[in-house]
Amino acid sequence: MIQKHLLKMADLTEQDILEILALADQMKFNQKNGIPHKVLEGKTLAMLFSKASTRTRVSFEAGIIQLGGHSIVLTGNESQIGRGEPIEDTARVLSRYVDGIMIRTFAHRDVEILAEYSTVPVINGLTDYSHPCQILADLMTVREKKAALNGLNVCWIGDGNNVCNSLIAGALTCGMNVRVACPEGYDPDSDVLAAAQNNPQFNLLRCPKAAAEDSDVIFTDVFASMGQESEQEQRQKDFEGFQVNQELMSLARPDCMVQHCLPAHRGEEITAGVFEAHAGEIFDEAENRLHAQKAVMALLMGG
Ligand code: CP
Ligand code: NVA
């Protein structure tokens, strides 16, 4: 991996992604078989959270411990960031103490500034714009079940949000056919669409059924992301017909997988029936956050 940081999927080449996934598979094998892999002995990861988290928080913390390091978590207003200390200064201070910084926040620009001013690797643990760690885990999970990524039909049903932006970039880079179905007004970010629009393997649709047809993998996520809670009611109306349900699944290939980054809202973006029928894959996806992020940390912080 040539980059110093992991800020967004579009920064990764296919070779980078395959390198991360190969190491992630190795990390998983080592952990399952009790094979020591403390490649970050004595290293410290700082984790900054301006939003809630279960998976990201626990998988990064468990991951750095399994690699022989440890973490320091700063949430919400407990650091001086909450009182207005500039990101530029926070980056320069933390760089003197720790070996890597994971950040979950709102504005993607804040993560870019953090990376510009940091002398240690910065890992994006979700912004309003992107969630690269999620898509690395998702690609790992899909590859485990389908053997290869190239040429698979994947579709996204729902909001053109951070996870969708990252899926488009990552899946197209890996040679997958990508269909995205969003209601008007909820498209992926314009730069993501600009980068994808001339790719014959990409289609933006308004019809979830057309998107789901012959799919190998259906992805979805909540209608209102963190920070959009006040729009929940309006979104529920606007996303009518964009639920992953049995009718939609019947249009996909018989062995179609379902991926959901979680947390899931049953009865909204996905029915309880479809969720439970695909719970094995969905919780494998959650597990693979651990292994994929251990690979990212080892590659970026291993020195
Ligand atoms: N999928 C995901 O990032 O989960 P958390 O919000 O719990 O970290
Ligand atoms: N799109 C969701 C993903 C949560 C992991 C959000 O940003 O809240």
Side-chain angles (χ1 to χ4, degrees), residues 72 74 131 197:
I72 297 168
L74 294 168
H131 197 1
Q197 69 182 0

Side-chain angles (χ1 to χ4, degrees), residues 126 131 161-163 221 225-226 261-262:
L126 181 147
H131 197 1
N161 63 17
N162 42 11
V163 180
D221 187 11
S225 285
M226 289 183 276
C261 61
L262 303 175

Side-chain angles (χ1 to χ4, degrees), residues 222-224 232 243 260 263-271 275:
V222 290
F223 295 149
Q232 174 72 29
Q243 184 186 63
H260 193 310
H265 292 171
R266 291 166 177 79
E268 291 180 25
E269 76 276 5
I270 190 165
T271 60
F275 185 92

Side-chain angles (χ1 to χ4, degrees), residues 153-155 179 211-218 251-253 255-256:
N153 297 334
V154 302
C155 82
R179 289 193 199 131
E213 220 169 285
D214 290 329
S215 283
D216 294 298
V217 192
I218 292 182
L251 301 167
R253 293 198 167 149
D255 58 351
C256 179

